[in-house]
Amino acid sequence: MWFNIDPRSSVPIYQQLIEGVKGAVAKGTLTPGEKLPSVRELAGQITINHNTIAKAYQELEREGIIETLRGRGTFVAEQQQTMSREERKRVIKGMLERMLVEAHYLQLEEEELLEILEESVREWYRERREQS
């Protein structure tokens, strides 16, 4: 399955669902044009309020990750790059800065953080290669 919902997590369920779909698309588990379960189907499968799933789908649609075609369903959208390379780098740098603040409060040292980051990047790309 392309998502893993943890009801005990401090991350809201709709956010977990968003991250699950985005991660599955990034790794190639979900491909452009692939149909997603309807809000009601998914709510039934994972026993979550359909409003939570609708909220996640709305956010994913707003971000251009999925698209809903009236009467046909919800599909993974074709990936369209609208940002320049410099804009994309700026967005990632902002995300990394937020992560660094969290690492500070978790009292991680520079070397520990670099080790985690390197391990995560290598694992991500290894999984992505295995998917394709």
Side-chain angles (χ1 to χ4, degrees), residues 3-72:
F3 59 88
N4 185 17
I5 303 297
D6 179 3
R8 294 188 184 126
S9 171
S10 61
V11 177
I13 290 174
Y14 84 93
Q15 190 64 43
Q16 292 180 47
L17 193 57
I18 290 170
E19 290 169 6
V21 171
K22 289 171 90 173
V25 170
K27 289 180 180 175
T29 306
L30 290 174
T31 56
E34 191 169 343
K35 188 174 183 181
L36 294 176
S38 72
V39 168
R40 289 189 189 278
E41 287 171 340
L42 192 54
Q45 286 176 12
I46 57 178
T47 60
I48 291 177
N49 186 312
H50 72 277
N51 289 329
T52 301
I53 294 171
K55 183 177 180 181
Y57 275 19
Q58 287 169 353
E59 179 62 22
L60 287 163
E61 192 163 358
R62 191 188 63 75
E63 292 183 24
I65 308 298
I66 65 173
E67 60 185 345
T68 300
L69 303 176
R70 188 176 295 273
R72 295 183 55 206

